[in-house]
Amino acid sequence: MGCGGSALGFRRTIRSLRDDASWRPGRLALGAAAIGSGVWTMYFVAVTGFHVAEAPVPYDLRQTALRLVVALVVVGVGVFIVGYRGRPVRRCRRRA
């Protein structure tokens, strides 16, 4: 899930750099949501899979939701910085 979300998010981000500027905010937001949720999914799987026999690890729904929001915001800031200040993507051309 994490790899799939990241791949989809990077595809949306790259496409936003190539397309018309009117589509850019929406594509960047979709890319940020996909990457952020992919990061959060990897965190969630790690937390639910962690087990120590001597010490129970509690699962708190509020903290988990807060971490989802943090992941989405942090990734969103990074994606929008790249989307508006990054270099334009150049296409590779084959030489004949």
Side-chain angles (χ1 to χ4, degrees):
M1 289 300 295
C3 291
S6 296
L8 178 64
F10 288 131
R11 183 170 171 85
R12 291 289 115 207
T13 304
I14 290 172
R15 183 157 294 184
S16 74
L17 297 175
R18 291 181 181 165
D19 286 347
D20 186 18
S22 65
W23 289 94
R24 185 171 288 175
R27 289 189 192 264
L28 289 174
L30 284 173
I35 296 169
S37 62
V39 168
W40 178 79
T41 301
M42 289 186 282
Y43 156 78
F44 184 73
V45 168
V47 166
T48 56
F50 186 74
H51 178 70
V52 178
E54 295 84 23
V57 179
Y59 172 76
D60 186 14
L61 182 61
R62 287 189 304 162
Q63 283 187 355
T64 304
L66 177 65
R67 289 188 173 105
L68 172 62
V69 171
V70 169
L72 291 173
V73 168
V74 170
V75 171
V77 168
V79 166
F80 273 84
I81 287 172
V82 169
Y84 282 104
R85 293 188 182 182
R87 294 183 183 180
V89 177
R90 296 182 185 175
R91 295 184 183 199
C92 295
R93 296 182 184 174
R94 292 186 183 186
R95 295 182 182 189

